[in-house]
Amino acid sequence: MRFWLTEQLRPIDSGLIMAGQVVESISIPPGEVAFDTVGYCSSACTQDLPPEGVTIFSNVLHAHIAAVAIKVQHIRDGVELPPVYDDQNYDFNYQQSYKIKPEVKLMPGDDLIVTCTYNTEGRNETTLGGESTREEMCFAYLSYYPANTAINVCISNPIFLGTQLQICGVALPRIFTPGDFEPLPADTKCLDYEKPDLSREPTRMTFFDPSVYIHSARLGADEQVSLYWNYDYETEILDFAVDVEAVGWAGFGISQNGGMTGSDVVIGYLDNDGEPHFRDRFAFAPALPPIDISQDLFNIRVGKFLVERWNNTKTYKSMF
């Protein structure tokens, strides 16, 4: 490799914007034909660009071997413009820099949306984000001019769309609303569990009978967490209960990889008025898990029972 130095600088320098998704937060289920994850570069990132904007002239798309398509959308004032680039035949083995013709003007306040589509057929475990080619990433490296220090990295935690289904008859929060931009209508298919009661509102547990459960285990280094469960192979529904001594709330996670990242997490507690609260969350990273966009838990009961100790101390057992 050789470098040449000169005092005759070019009149315009180019810059690079890395748009896409936080790698550590990517989690793709196995057996998916086309699972979409979305990274959002909001107007908060682009608002400090110069009033005349900057010009995008080339890009490099990057993901790993499960990726089959990458698209970079462009939004201005709530209106979707032609995509910056749309590769519906992405191949990890043929990555290169693509010139963008015509060039794209990125203005202050514009939004960019990077969507990666993955195929995980043949995989039996969740694919997480990481540096290995068997793990995944989702980035678009956009070259532009003139160079500007106001923006260089504009990424977000991934927003999962994919083939996840809504629950029939259950109102869930909107999955994706960047700014005022409305994406194309999502698939209207829904998942019907064919259960007589699909109530998602938690109720208060007044008693607990562990004998109704076939399986049980003691968890934790001190074995203070008791887990009970039954599994119905016909309906593929898991009925479980968690019993733990706690002062405030109780939480429980189910993970395919033994760690917090990529795990389903449930948290339950009773407030000071005795009202039950319950949250179905998903952990994208070792941090407070956000609300899961796929709400799959029903017939929820939360309880809190006073326990008298032999030495006259008192504690509480939290259950759900």
Side-chain angles (χ1 to χ4, degrees):
M1 182 180 296
R2 296 182 179 180
F3 293 92
W4 283 267
L5 302 178
T6 178
E7 295 181 354
Q8 299 178 355
L9 302 180
R10 294 181 177 183
I12 300 177
D13 288 334
S14 67
L16 186 71
I17 299 173
M18 182 177 74
Q21 304 166 23
V22 177
V23 173
E24 293 79 7
S25 298
I26 294 175
S27 179
I28 308 161
E32 295 286 346
V33 177
F35 186 89
D36 293 341
T37 68
V38 176
Y40 183 35
C41 174
S42 73
S43 58
C45 286
T46 64
Q47 64 182 358
D48 293 328
L49 290 174
E52 65 277 11
V54 297
T55 302
I56 300 173
F57 64 91
S58 75
N59 87 103
V60 176
L61 305 178
H62 179 69
H64 293 166
I65 59 178
V68 294
I70 302 178
K71 182 178 182 180
V72 183
Q73 293 169 270
H74 187 192
I75 314 300
R76 179 176 299 155
D77 297 328
V79 178
E80 183 173 9
L81 305 178
V84 176
Y85 205 84
D86 186 3
D87 186 352
Q88 293 301 305
N89 297 284
Y90 175 83
D91 190 327
F92 172 79
N93 298 300
Y94 294 94
Q95 299 179 69
Q96 58 182 309
S97 176
Y98 294 94
K99 291 184 177 180
I100 296 178
K101 294 293 185 179
E103 297 175 340
V104 175
K105 181 69 79 170
L106 184 66
M107 300 296 292
D110 285 1
D111 302 287
L112 296 173
I113 302 170
V114 181
T115 302
C116 288
T117 303
Y118 304 95
N119 183 304
T120 55
E121 291 179 295
R123 297 191 179 189
N124 298 319
E125 297 180 353
T126 299
T127 300
L128 301 177
E131 297 182 359
S132 166
T133 57
R134 291 287 297 179
E135 298 170 318
E136 275 305 333
M137 294 184 177
C138 181
F139 291 116
Y141 297 93
L142 307 174
S143 296
Y144 70 94
Y145 65 87
N148 191 286
T149 58
I151 182 172
N152 48 36
V153 176
C154 190
I155 61 178
S156 73
N157 281 327
I159 304 168
F160 298 104
L161 300 179
T163 56
Q164 297 186 35
L165 302 178
Q166 303 290 316
I167 307 301
C168 295
V170 177
L172 298 182
R174 302 179 68 179
I175 292 178
F176 182 46
T177 309
D180 294 326
F181 167 62
E182 292 290 343
L184 295 176
D187 196 336
T188 57
K189 293 186 299 182
C190 63
L191 182 61
D192 190 352
Y193 278 90
E194 298 182 352
K195 295 290 286 184
D197 181 11
L198 296 186
S199 173
R200 288 202 41 74
E201 290 298 324
T203 60
R204 183 167 183 175
M205 180 188 300
T206 57
F207 71 94
F208 175 67
D209 181 8
S211 66
V212 301
Y213 294 94
I214 299 174
H215 309 282
S216 64
R218 303 281 288 184
L219 307 177
D222 50 9
E223 296 189 345
Q224 288 190 345
V225 179
S226 296
L227 173 66
Y228 307 89
W229 74 95
N230 293 329
Y231 183 70
D232 189 325
Y233 287 90
E234 291 186 1
T235 61
E236 297 185 341
I237 291 179
L238 176 67
D239 178 13
F240 70 92
V242 177
D243 180 4
V244 59
E245 292 187 10
V247 176
W249 52 269
F252 177 70
I254 300 176
S255 171
Q256 291 191 7
N257 55 40
M260 184 172 179
T261 301
S263 63
D264 283 292
V265 178
V266 292
I267 298 175
Y269 67 95
L270 290 178
D271 62 23
N272 292 332
D273 296 324
E275 291 297 319
H277 298 267
F278 189 88
R279 294 292 183 268
D280 180 2
R281 297 173 176 268
F282 188 86
F284 297 114
L288 176 64
I291 299 298
D292 196 341
I293 62 173
S294 181
Q295 295 285 304
D296 305 316
L297 299 173
F298 308 100
N299 302 331
I300 305 160
R301 294 183 300 152
V302 182
K304 183 178 181 181
F305 305 96
L306 183 64
V307 178
E308 296 282 355
R309 293 290 193 180
W310 62 270
N311 58 358
N312 294 324
T313 61
K314 297 180 180 181
T315 185
Y316 288 95
K317 296 184 73 174
S318 296
M319 299 192 61
F320 50 78

